[in-house]
Amino acid sequence: MARTVFPDDLLLTQVRVIRTYAALARPYGGHITDLRHQLIADLRDLYAHPYWAEPGRSYADLVELRRTARARAWVEAA
């Protein structure tokens, strides 16, 4: 499968979603309500992004976005 180039704002939103899920998974993470609100806002922005309205977008693109964002999150964490 060819690599898809994602808009920076879409990729950064997916990275924030990954980090928020990780923060929610930590025991005694604190600020749970704030994290949940942030997650809801980021997921709304992610799925309502104009990128998904372009012809030919599919679930495979969403999977590739998640893979790309996970790799980026790991690189930034290192």
Side-chain angles (χ1 to χ4, degrees):
M1 181 178 182
R3 292 282 179 191
T4 305
V5 177
F6 297 104
D8 286 337
D9 61 331
L10 182 62
L11 186 58
L12 291 174
T13 301
Q14 181 63 53
V15 169
R16 280 196 314 270
V17 166
I18 291 168
R19 289 182 178 157
T20 304
Y21 271 124
L24 284 167
R26 284 187 219 115
Y28 310 109
H31 307 289
I32 298 298
T33 302
D34 294 337
L35 290 171
R36 286 181 180 166
H37 285 278
Q38 182 63 44
L39 181 62
I40 291 168
D42 286 340
L43 287 172
R44 181 195 60 228
D45 294 344
L46 182 74
Y47 292 117
H49 195 279
Y51 175 84
W52 303 117
E54 295 175 10
R57 299 298 175 209
S58 69
Y59 184 74
D61 292 318
L62 180 59
V63 172
E64 186 62 28
L65 173 65
R66 289 176 181 157
R67 286 182 186 147
T68 303
R70 250 185 247 117
R72 183 171 179 165
W74 279 107
V75 168
E76 290 176 1

